[in-house]
Amino acid sequence: DAAIMEVADASGKNVPRDMLLAMRGKMDIKEWISILRSRAKASGFHYAEIIEDDYVKFVMKHDMGMKWSIYFQTYYNSSFKMLGYDVEFGITNNTCSYKISRKIYDPE
């Protein structure tokens, strides 16, 4: 699992920056979430955004096992940190979820 986390961390620090600039022209958390949403849906993953009191919870069900959950969690964590945000994560064998404060990201 350490090798998975190392690759995911390195990718999460670099790939999102290039992807955001190439696809959206700016580095912004709303644009990054939009890209993550689009990629999850294009991959056929179940994706949901759940508005809670002070948070928005994002749930991606990938059905590819724990190693992929670890990869996604590490990659997303590194990408959000690169953008300057701390995000709370949770994973299961087939699901990765993260919560973002509504002060930072409010879809309404």
Side-chain angles (χ1 to χ4, degrees):
D1 292 351
I4 293 169
M5 293 172 72
E6 188 177 324
V7 170
D9 183 54
S11 295
K13 290 177 181 173
N14 298 304
V15 173
R17 180 182 303 112
D18 295 339
M19 194 179 301
L20 278 164
L21 292 173
M23 295 175 70
R24 306 294 165 91
K26 60 183 175 178
M27 291 188 19
D28 175 271
I29 193 165
K30 289 186 179 189
E31 297 298 333
W32 181 234
I33 290 169
S34 174
I35 289 172
L36 295 179
R37 180 186 312 115
S38 297
R39 289 178 55 134
K41 289 180 179 180
S43 298
F45 299 159
H46 172 76
Y47 181 87
E49 295 182 16
I50 303 156
I51 298 173
E52 298 178 349
D53 292 336
D54 297 330
Y55 294 90
V56 180
K57 185 174 186 175
F58 303 85
V59 180
M60 180 182 74
K61 188 170 185 293
H62 54 77
D63 292 326
M64 297 188 328
M66 183 55 82
K67 290 184 185 223
W68 276 102
S69 290
I70 292 167
Y71 177 87
F72 287 129
Q73 177 184 10
T74 306
Y75 179 87
Y76 291 167
N77 189 43
S78 295
S79 68
F80 282 111
K81 282 187 177 179
M82 180 271 303
L83 289 168
Y85 299 100
D86 285 322
V87 178
E88 187 178 325
F89 287 90
I91 58 172
T92 68
N93 275 339
N94 295 303
T95 305
C96 180
S97 65
Y98 51 99
K99 288 170 54 169
I100 298 175
S101 169
R102 287 181 69 178
K103 292 176 185 170
I104 297 167
Y105 177 82
D106 195 350
E108 294 180 343

